[in-house]
């Protein structure tokens, strides 16, 4: 390796930044300062580029980017992987981090210092795609949202010597990496990565996100723990707060929820209606109580056996609400036939009771929902959509209304259709339904999945319930080798991992995998609760009629007849892309932990008889299907 190439690599390698002292916040609750791009500043959701046999396609997600790579097969001799250089706006460039490196012997042979080896300049990515999430390892203190330039270069190794980076093969793409907002529609995801190397690097093995199990509201600025940091090359212990954990783990979903509440609080002409299942996130509870004090809050909270304990946080919230509230603030505890399972905010004008916007999704308003679970929220700033949710709220605000909800027009099987200029085309369904209604629309959705053309990607908390929808997902995974199937559930007895020389789909679990990983990985904190709480299915992300089903419904047939839920069908390629990237992010993360772990050191591949990339060019392999699907144009 020549001196210039070595120097370039060292200069671009960013030190992992671990101090939290410099967080930039728009207020103490919301987290990172966010600037949404104007509509005329926003790049397309998908940016391809290619030259000299190298191709890239970048996809925009919710503050993340999916990068798909390709390399002409004629150029794969001695191919070692891809180096990825990132420039965030006008900030200093850095090379993406790879937690896998070459063996110590190869690093020594190449004069690569071990502490520098995790740069993809020295340890190329040995995959044909990557999901980049800002503020995972780099720029932790002040994440940048805006245009990211990705420069991808294929690398080669000959006789265990990594060849100099050849810029003539470098292909750049620039795409917006920012919180997803288009028109009147937003999506936000939690990070959901307590069990991860990134979390361990920042917070050690502390998986507690609240100080105790008794205090509903607590000081999030209080010390949560200490973690080892590098200062001037020396290990030092540095304190961090619950707020530091919450901002990092809650990620975009937390920020969107806090923005929604802050906007409502700041304008005394607005009021809020809330459906809550779990309710114990301290800042959310504090803000809701403030609205109750001002006579601007109505809330429905589940009172099923899940929350029957007298010391349950939901009961503590109810007591505090009744102590502090000012009319016309009101609370109702109920559970339909089984659960009041929705997680919804409805913003309304106080004077006219006109609905303005709505927030919904899978995210419970709890510390587990924000900081332990993988979850999503969607926000629609559309009066027609918000009005529908407001009407459903009014139709649920008593025991008798909950009992009879399934027979109202709100629970019709065809759902409520919306197709307006500044929001995605969507259908919204509310439960509980009658058995006949549930049967009709479950058949409609399962038929759509059974007739998939390109791909099915999913993240579902429980995918073994009785359900024609869940059966259709399983059938595609097991029987349709022409379809790219890739998904995750929370727990399962049957893991379907990638198997070479077959195109059978992948299904992994968020719980039950290893948290004691082989070297060079650090031991990770176990997940203290549900890992995958999402309930979404993507169909034909790369097809002509992409759709995602999301919301609070568990997609299970019997609960759909008993629980208060909302299921949103979104037929919009941009929104579907955002959910598809989230599914890929989660499966990639947990698949490694689901494998039978080899206790020996895990390193990058080098000089094997069958090269690591062979599967990506095997037409009978899932990797081939993945590579061609993601790098190519949308299928007709």
């Amino acid at each position: 390796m020549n001196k210039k190439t070595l120097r370039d690599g060292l200069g671009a390698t960013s030190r992992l930044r671990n101090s939290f002292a410099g967080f930039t916040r728009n207020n103490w609750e919301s987290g990172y300062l966010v600037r949404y791009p104007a509509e005329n500043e926003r790049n397309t959701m998908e940016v391809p580029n290619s030259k000299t046999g190298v191709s890239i396609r970048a996809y925009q997600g919710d503050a993340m980017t999916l990068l798909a790579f390709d390399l002409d097969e004629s150029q794969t001799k001695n191919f070692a992987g891809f180096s990825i250089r990132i420039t965030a706006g006008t900030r200093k460039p850095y090379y993406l981090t790879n937690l896998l490196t070459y063996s110590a012997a190869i690093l020594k042979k190449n004069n690569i210092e071990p502490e520098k080896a995790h740069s993809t300049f020295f340890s190329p990515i040995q995959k044909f795609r990557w999901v980049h999430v800002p503020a995972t390892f780099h720029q932790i203190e002040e994440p940048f949202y805006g245009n990211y330039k990705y420069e991808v270069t294929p690398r080669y190794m000959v006789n265990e010597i990594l060849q100099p980076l050849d810029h003539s093969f470098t292909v750049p793409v620039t795409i917006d990496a920012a919180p997803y907002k288009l028109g009147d529609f937003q999506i936000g995801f939690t990070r959901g990565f307590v069990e991860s190397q990134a979390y361990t690097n920042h917070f050690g093995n502390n998986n507690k996100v609240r100080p105790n199990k008794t205090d509903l509201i607590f000081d999030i600025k209080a010390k949560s723990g200490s973690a080892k940091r590098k200062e001037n090359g020396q290990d030092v212990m540095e304190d961090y707060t619950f707020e530091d954990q919450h901002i990092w783990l809650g990620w975009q979903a937390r920020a969107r929820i806090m923005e929604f509440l802050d906007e409502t609080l700041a304008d005394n002409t607005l009021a809020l209606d809330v459906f809550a299942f779990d309710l114990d996130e301290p800042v959310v509870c504090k803000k809701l109580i403030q609205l109750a004090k001002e006579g601007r809050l109505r809330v429905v909270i589940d009172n099923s056996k899940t929350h029957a304990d007298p010391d349950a946080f939901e009961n503590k919230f109810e007591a505090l609400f009744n102590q502090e509230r000012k009319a016309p603030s009101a609370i109702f505890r109920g559970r339909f036939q089984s659960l009041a399972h929705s997680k919804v905010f409805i913003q309304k004008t106080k004077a006219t009771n006109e609905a303005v916007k709505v927030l919904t999704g899978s995210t419970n308003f709890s510390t587990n929902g924000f900081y332990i679970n993988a979850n999503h929220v969607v926000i629609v700033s559309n009066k027609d959509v918000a009005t529908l949710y407001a009407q459903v709220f009014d139709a649920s605000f008593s025991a008798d209304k909950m009992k009879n909800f399934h027979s109202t027009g709100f629970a019709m099987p065809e759902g409520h259709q919306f197709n307006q200029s500044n929001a995605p085309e969507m259908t919204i369904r509310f439960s509980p339904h009658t058995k006949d209604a549930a049967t009709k629309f479950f058949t409609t959705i399962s038929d759509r999945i059974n007739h998939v053309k390109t791909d099915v990607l999913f993240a579902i908390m429980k995918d073994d319930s009785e359900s024609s929808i869940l059966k259709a997902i399983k059938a595609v995974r097991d029987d349709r080798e022409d379809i790219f199937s890739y998904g995750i559930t929370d727990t399962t007895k049957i893991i379907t991992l990638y198997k070479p020389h077959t195109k059978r789909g992948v299904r992994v679990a968020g719980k039950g995998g290893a948290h004691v990983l082989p070297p060079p990985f650090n031991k990770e904190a176990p997940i203290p609760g549900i890992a995958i709480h999402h309930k979404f299915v993507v169909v034909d992300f790369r097809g002509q009629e992409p759709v995602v089903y999301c919301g609070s419904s568990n997609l299970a047939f019997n609960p759909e007849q008993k629980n208060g839920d909302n299921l949103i069908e979104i037929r919009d390629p941009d929104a579907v892309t955002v959910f598809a990237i989230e599914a890929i992010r989660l499966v990639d993360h947990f698949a490694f932990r689901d494998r039978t772990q080899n206790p020996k050191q895990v390193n990058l591949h080098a000089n094997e008889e069958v090269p690591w990339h062979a599967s990506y060019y095997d037409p009978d392999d899932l990797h081939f299907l993945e590579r061609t699907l993601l790098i190519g144009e949308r299928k007709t």
Side-chain angles (χ1 to χ4, degrees):
M1 184 176 295
N2 63 42
K3 291 183 179 179
K4 180 181 185 302
T5 304
L6 180 61
R7 185 171 60 251
D8 287 349
L10 291 173
T13 302
S14 177
R15 180 175 65 88
L16 302 187
R17 303 178 67 185
N18 292 311
S19 171
F20 292 90
F23 271 147
T24 297
R25 301 188 175 99
N26 54 353
N27 57 55
W28 70 276
E29 299 94 349
S30 295
Y32 304 125
L33 181 66
V34 175
R35 172 189 173 275
Y36 293 110
E39 294 302 320
N40 61 358
E41 295 178 309
R42 183 176 290 278
N43 288 326
T44 179
M45 290 286 294
E46 187 178 321
V47 181
N49 196 14
S50 62
K51 73 172 186 179
T52 59
V54 184
S55 300
I56 308 174
R57 188 174 293 270
Y59 299 86
Q60 180 187 331
D62 174 45
M64 64 181 85
T65 306
L66 170 62
L67 297 167
F69 322 124
D70 199 12
L71 180 65
D72 191 280
E73 190 173 6
S74 65
Q75 298 172 209
T76 58
K77 183 179 180 181
N78 299 318
F79 176 46
F82 296 98
S83 292
I84 306 170
R85 187 174 187 252
I86 298 175
T87 306
T90 59
R91 295 185 179 185
K92 183 179 179 180
Y94 61 90
Y95 277 84
L96 190 67
T97 295
N98 187 358
L99 294 179
L100 290 178
T101 69
Y102 289 110
S103 67
I106 291 179
L107 294 179
K108 183 177 181 180
K109 192 172 183 178
N110 284 267
N111 296 317
I112 299 172
E113 299 174 34
E115 61 270 21
K116 306 294 185 183
H118 289 287
S119 163
T120 57
F121 184 87
F122 298 116
S123 298
I125 296 291
Q126 292 187 335
K127 298 177 70 171
F128 278 72
R129 59 164 170 74
W130 195 260
V131 177
H132 171 239
V133 182
T136 299
F137 289 107
H138 300 88
Q139 301 174 351
I140 303 302
E141 298 160 12
E142 297 182 19
F144 174 80
Y145 299 125
N147 281 339
Y148 274 70
K149 182 180 181 182
Y150 298 93
E151 297 172 274
V152 179
T153 309
R155 302 297 300 279
Y156 295 88
M157 177 172 278
V158 179
N159 296 325
E160 297 188 341
I161 298 297
L162 186 64
Q163 301 300 293
L165 188 148
D166 186 344
H167 289 286
S168 68
F169 288 96
T170 299
V171 179
V173 291
T174 298
I175 195 166
D176 192 43
Y180 179 77
K181 183 179 189 295
L182 195 59
D184 293 333
F185 188 72
Q186 294 172 269
I187 301 170
F189 298 115
T190 64
R191 202 184 292 261
F193 274 13
V194 165
E195 189 179 76
S196 70
Q197 293 296 292
Y199 180 84
T200 302
N201 286 343
H202 306 323
F203 304 105
N205 290 129
N206 175 18
N207 62 6
K208 295 180 179 179
V209 294
R210 58 188 313 134
N212 54 56
K213 297 181 180 180
T214 58
D215 295 339
L216 174 66
I217 297 175
F218 58 89
D219 181 7
I220 65 171
K221 291 185 177 295
K223 175 184 173 181
S224 174
S226 301
K228 188 181 294 185
R229 319 289 192 203
K230 286 286 187 183
E231 292 291 341
N232 299 319
Q234 300 296 315
D235 288 337
V236 298
M237 296 302 293
E238 185 173 319
D239 294 345
Y240 56 84
T241 66
F242 289 103
E243 183 182 27
D244 295 330
Q245 290 174 288
H246 292 180
I247 290 172
W248 195 86
L249 289 166
W251 195 227
Q252 302 304 313
R254 181 186 193 272
R256 301 296 82 76
I257 290 169
M258 296 304 179
E259 288 168 359
F260 197 104
L261 288 172
D262 287 343
E263 180 184 63
T264 308
L265 272 168
D267 186 345
N268 60 15
T269 69
L270 296 175
L272 193 69
D273 288 344
V274 175
F275 278 114
F277 182 66
D278 293 341
L279 180 59
D280 63 44
E281 203 290 329
V283 180
V284 169
C285 289
K286 183 178 180 180
K287 292 177 185 292
L288 293 180
I289 293 299
Q290 182 59 40
L291 286 169
K293 286 181 179 180
E294 298 173 10
R296 298 198 280 146
L297 178 68
R298 293 191 303 166
V299 57
V300 172
I301 305 177
D302 175 77
N303 73 343
S304 66
K305 63 181 181 180
T306 306
H307 306 118
D309 189 319
D311 292 327
F313 285 125
E314 292 71 25
N315 295 328
K316 292 183 178 183
F317 179 90
E318 180 182 13
L320 185 58
F321 179 98
N322 287 328
Q323 175 184 317
E324 301 288 345
R325 78 177 184 90
K326 174 185 174 183
S329 290
I331 190 169
F332 172 67
R333 299 296 300 274
R335 58 179 181 273
F336 295 91
Q337 280 69 46
S338 182
L339 306 176
H341 194 242
S342 290
K343 312 93 169 54
V344 176
F345 290 163
I346 307 157
Q347 190 185 86
K348 305 168 74 174
T349 58
K350 189 176 179 181
T352 63
N353 205 35
E354 181 182 12
V356 178
K357 63 195 294 187
V358 62
L359 177 149
T360 185
S362 67
T363 308
N364 282 314
F365 306 128
S366 64
T367 48
N368 269 11
F370 279 41
Y371 311 127
I372 304 301
N373 309 154
N375 269 318
H376 65 272
V377 296
V378 297
I379 300 172
V380 188
S381 301
N382 176 281
K383 291 183 179 180
D384 292 341
V385 175
T387 296
L388 174 63
Y389 275 88
Q391 291 169 343
V392 168
F393 183 90
D394 288 338
S396 306
F397 204 76
S398 76
D400 285 343
K401 288 180 177 180
M402 282 190 170
K403 182 179 179 180
N404 297 315
F405 185 88
H406 65 279
S407 61
T408 69
F410 298 116
M412 58 186 181
E414 59 269 30
H416 306 267
Q417 311 286 330
F418 294 92
N419 187 8
Q420 301 184 11
S421 60
N422 221 25
E425 181 183 346
M426 66 178 77
T427 299
I428 304 172
R429 295 179 173 92
F430 296 96
S431 63
H433 299 277
T434 64
K435 185 176 182 179
D436 285 346
T439 300
K440 286 179 182 178
F441 85 81
F442 267 54
T443 300
T444 299
I445 295 174
S446 57
D447 283 351
R448 177 66 185 88
I449 296 169
N450 285 326
H451 289 88
V452 59
K453 303 297 184 184
T454 58
D455 53 83
V456 172
L457 302 103
F458 60 90
I460 303 171
M461 186 181 82
K462 186 176 175 63
D463 72 346
D464 58 359
S465 301
E466 181 61 33
S467 165
S468 62
I469 296 171
L470 300 177
K471 285 181 179 177
I473 295 170
K474 181 179 184 298
V476 170
R477 180 183 70 244
D478 294 343
D479 303 330
R480 293 286 303 276
E481 291 204 348
D482 59 322
I483 301 300
F484 181 65
S485 177
Y486 209 62
I488 185 168
T489 186
D490 187 58
T491 57
T492 180
K493 295 179 181 178
I494 303 174
I495 298 292
T496 309
L497 295 173
Y498 161 74
K499 184 178 180 181
H501 204 62
T502 175
K503 291 189 283 187
R504 182 192 64 185
V506 166
R507 175 212 194 201
V508 302
K511 292 289 290 294
H515 62 271
V516 179
L517 302 175
F521 300 102
N522 296 316
K523 179 183 177 181
E524 298 172 348
I527 300 169
I530 293 169
I532 306 301
H533 192 258
H534 278 304
K535 303 97 169 45
F536 74 80
V537 183
V538 168
V539 184
D540 286 332
F541 149 57
R542 297 303 292 153
Q544 287 298 308
E545 297 181 344
V547 61
V548 59
Y549 303 93
C550 62
S552 66
S553 170
N554 282 309
L555 305 175
F557 185 65
N558 287 329
E560 200 68 22
Q561 301 167 56
K562 298 177 181 179
N563 296 344
D565 269 315
N566 63 120
L567 173 61
I568 310 168
E569 175 183 330
I570 304 172
R571 298 176 296 277
D572 175 84
D574 292 354
V576 173
T577 295
V578 171
F579 276 95
I581 294 171
E582 171 70 354
I584 292 170
R585 178 183 78 98
L586 291 171
V587 178
D588 284 355
H589 178 75
F590 286 102
F592 177 67
R593 289 155 180 80
D594 285 346
R595 297 179 189 139
T596 301
Q597 295 299 324
N598 186 333
K600 297 180 180 179
Q601 183 91 5
V602 179
N603 295 120
L604 291 176
H605 300 281
N607 297 332
E608 283 93 343
E609 184 176 344
V610 178
W612 67 270
H613 52 79
S615 60
Y616 289 91
Y617 297 91
D618 176 0
D620 294 321
D621 197 289
L622 185 70
H623 282 167
F624 176 89
L625 188 61
E626 170 193 283
R627 177 179 67 87
T628 54
L629 180 78
L630 295 180
I631 201 65
E633 297 292 337
R634 189 175 294 277
K635 304 294 183 182
T636 59

